[in-house]
Amino acid sequence: MQITSNLLRLEDFSENSSVSRGATIDRQIKITNAAEQSVEISVWINPTNSFSLPLQRWCKISVPPTVVLKGEDSITVTLTFEIPLQASPGTYNYDVCIETTNEYPAKQLTRPQQLQVLPSDQSTTFDNTPRFTTQPATSPTGPHKLQAGQPFNFTMQVENRSKRVDRFKLLCPDLESQWTFQPKYFQSSSNPVQQTVETDGLELLPGQVGAIQASLCAPEYMPAGYYQPTIRLTSSVTENLVLLDVLYLEILPNVNLEISMFPAVRRIPEEPKTFEIKLVNQGNIVRELRLQAWDQEKLFAYTFDLPKLTLDRGQTSYITLVARPEKRWRRPFWGKGLQFPFTVDLKNAEPEAPELEAEPLALPASPEGTIVWQARPWQHLLLLALLALGLLGAIAYIIWRFLFWTAPAPAVPPLPQVISFKAAEPAYQEGKNTPVRLDAAEPAYQEGKNTPVRLDWEISYLNRVQKVTIVQLQENVEINRKSYSFLPDKGAFCRISTELRQRRATEGSIDCDKLPSIAQRQNYPNGELKENNFCEEVLLSEIPQQSSPEPSPSPSSDSQTPSLDELDTTLRCQRIITSASQSGDSVFRIEVFANPEALVTPAAPQSRWQRWFGRRSPASSSAQNPEQPIATLTTDTIRILPPEPEPVVVSFFSTQPTYEEVGPPLSPSTNPDSSPRPKLGPIQLNWEIANPQQIKELRLVNLAPDGSVDRELRRYSVNDGVPTELRQYCAIATNLVCRNLPTNIEAVGEYRFKLVVVPLLPPVSSASTSQPAQTVPEIAAITPSIKIQARPPEIITFLINGQNVLENPRQVYVINPARGPIELSVNWSVIDGEAQLLPAPGSVLNSGSITSPISVPGQQIITLQVTNESGEQVTRTAEISVMEATPPPQTQSDSAQPTPDAPSPNPLAVPSDPNGLPPFELPPQLN
């Protein structure tokens, strides 16, 4: 089915579609461009089956391949078919194709066509070809108009011009899936009551005419435009006969649009300020819409979540309208509320190309809603009444302020207060962390170095402080007192709070970051840094006890520096020395004395009414006793404990006094009666140390024979408990106990070990770095001499003629001169020493064998001796007895045989095998 827009149309003006072989036929097609813009088109034909492929060679098109068609113009294209004489008769099917090469609403159009090729001796028409007509008739210029979803009913009259009974069927092959096509075939009935019956095909006799009724229906939301579905009539007799016709349809546009709003009335603010608008596009045109709402007095502002939207064909959309009050003063204070209507205005969105918009689309009536703006709550009315009362009160206050108001009394300068004064640690150790430190600057002090412990405190309003006194109490009895004044003299270093530094530096009075360093300030003359009193530092000088302290003037400032009375300074002193060093409980109290000028109270002011109509009050002042402290603060009880005991090495020894050199295990079979051997190396140590919490480090040292350090074996840090490498061997309960700690000593020799305990020391304070380092006595212990002895020599095997000498030390051999000498074989294997075979050949390898003949009777001793590095010897001896066998009685023939010469003696001569003699000739054997 071909669909065209209302801008590009294709019309066929040819009526005859039959031609004989060897003839020529012309087909004319008219193409119309209904748009205002020009379009570039291409025209060609496309055969629809393989039988129709020769049409491409026979056809000539009257226009070039590309033609420019102006707006609202048309062109006629002539298709000339030259049929050769050898062409096959039959029906040739093809499509006329038109394609636009630029942007255009319709990209490609096709029109199905047929061409009947007849034999050369026949007329231009077939007498037996069926004839059909369609009612109502449609054409490209007169398409049938209908709405989307409305069926198009038509009737096809068919005449069977053949001489055979034929059955016809009507098809619409190129329909889309949304379209429906329903043909109905009516056949004449022999029943006079029922003249026609419905069948599955139209069966016609020769020359008979029948009708096919069909219904073609487009989908409900089919887009508006021109549609050209092709219908096909098929014959059961002539299967290759294809009769086509085109239905020209125009789907009319449907602009039906439905709008509704829910709810119609809202009570605000009791109910939500939202309305829901429902839009339903019931037409077949895509709608682009804009929404806006308004009320006549513009009391509310109306916003949509989708102010502009596009609705597709058949689409439903829900839009939320939010109404917010703008003129809030119009809300009533009482009553039933303000009720007013508002209107939702629906408009078509402006198209992107206004020239393509022919006329505005129809819109439904705009829905109206109602808003009831409820009265304000009673609290608002109460607030209005309170506002009126407040106005009356303001008037009364103005009158009182002018006549009866009394200016506040001048602010009495705040007196200094002790902000903090505390001890950093609740207890201290005598001789270690002493003297006592109160919030001390250093966390610890080195033991044995009388480093002075310093105090920290913080006092507000430094400019009104005359002196500060530190009192030490024991059992509520004062035992020491020290006073400090604020003269630029030698003393402890104090600094002002950081907040004041930042404030003053921001104001630009003094740049604290450019002040000299502490070391440079100590070289300045007294009073040279007066402008720094409130900014960087204050120097304290100790007041002698024998003279009463006089009030010290506060440090003055230059003309460009603000007065000290204008500054709220904070004194934060650090590193103040105390004299507490003996064990016991102490309490410290700080006393702050103010300047006399800071204790003066100014006169009370009077109102205008009192000054005009009353009696003036005389100026008066009062002062406190400057000899009494204005602020005191006491620390908690500070306990100075006796010194903790130092670490003590309770024991330090090896697991056994003697070790044996590491080597392969001894064979138990070779020394069955040997005594237990010493343990194999390396040397293992045991120790126990009391007071392990005072240990910083352990050092294990190997000593030379003269007692000097040969080398340091290992170091262990015990600051955080037992180190990882010692956890397998050591544990801390009350003491640090280590058992079976292996060393790397395995060589033969005598050794002594030294265990050095390094006790904990407090870190050296910055104030005492110039003093010489403290000498720490060494805590050490030395083990007795430990010996690693060489492994004893060992004889693994010692065999003579395969017999173990250990089991059979005495062996007897009998020789037979008639049979000649016997062989004596000696085999041995030793370890851990040098082997000697005595009396000959002497030194031999640790494993080997010797073979020697024996032919002379006698007794020999063979000894295997093994000596190790320490001179230890192991011997094993074999006694060899050689005897001559008694000869049997000789016959005359035997006595005539010559006697062989006797061989020379050999110490390793081996007797003959005694098993070769008769039993009665064997000599006595040793048990």
Side-chain angles (χ1 to χ4, degrees), residues 11 112 274 419 478 482 640 655 849 865:
E11 302 177 29
T274 59
I419 299 176
E478 180 179 334
K482 184 180 290 187
I640 304 177
T655 56
S849 63
Q865 179 179 298

Side-chain angles (χ1 to χ4, degrees), residues 230 277 517 620 626 810:
T230 302
I277 298 176
S517 61
S620 61
R810 295 180 181 179

Side-chain angles (χ1 to χ4, degrees), residues 678-829:
K679 186 177 180 181
L680 295 178
I683 297 175
Q684 298 180 357
L685 300 177
N686 299 338
W687 69 68
E688 182 179 355
I689 303 175
N691 304 319
Q693 65 275 7
Q694 300 297 322
I695 301 176
K696 176 183 179 181
E697 186 181 56
L698 296 178
R699 300 173 185 172
L700 187 60
V701 179
N702 182 22
L703 299 180
D706 58 354
S708 62
V709 176
D710 182 18
R711 55 174 171 162
E712 183 175 319
L713 298 180
R714 296 177 186 174
R715 286 194 180 198
Y716 305 101
S717 176
V718 200
N719 275 338
D720 300 327
V722 179
T724 305
E725 58 268 30
L726 291 182
R727 289 179 183 174
Q728 184 178 356
Y729 311 99
C730 301
I732 295 180
T734 304
N735 296 342
L736 173 61
V737 180
C738 295
R739 293 290 182 263
N740 301 326
L741 177 66
T743 64
N744 56 356
I745 305 299
E746 298 179 353
V748 176
E750 293 188 5
Y751 300 92
R752 288 193 304 162
F753 296 92
K754 181 179 181 180
L755 180 64
V756 180
V757 180
V758 180
L760 284 174
L761 289 178
V764 181
S765 64
S766 59
S768 61
T769 54
S770 59
Q771 300 179 7
Q774 181 181 5
T775 302
V776 181
E778 185 181 73
I779 303 174
I782 301 175
T783 65
S785 178
I786 306 171
K787 182 179 180 181
I788 298 181
Q789 63 184 12
R791 291 172 55 86
E794 183 180 1
I795 299 175
I796 304 300
T797 58
F798 185 30
L799 305 176
I800 296 180
N801 282 358
Q803 299 185 28
N804 193 344
V805 174
L806 184 64
E807 300 175 355
N808 190 10
R810 295 180 181 179
Q811 300 183 18
V812 179
Y813 296 92
V814 179
I815 61 176
N816 189 348
R819 296 184 179 181
I822 63 175
E823 297 292 331
L824 183 66
S825 175
V826 180
N827 296 276
W828 69 91
S829 176

Side-chain angles (χ1 to χ4, degrees), residues 158-160 164-166 168 202-206 208-210:
V158 182
E159 179 184 359
N160 184 9
R164 298 174 60 184
V165 177
D166 201 350
F168 299 94
L202 181 61
E203 185 174 340
L204 296 178
L205 299 175
Q208 188 179 4
V209 178

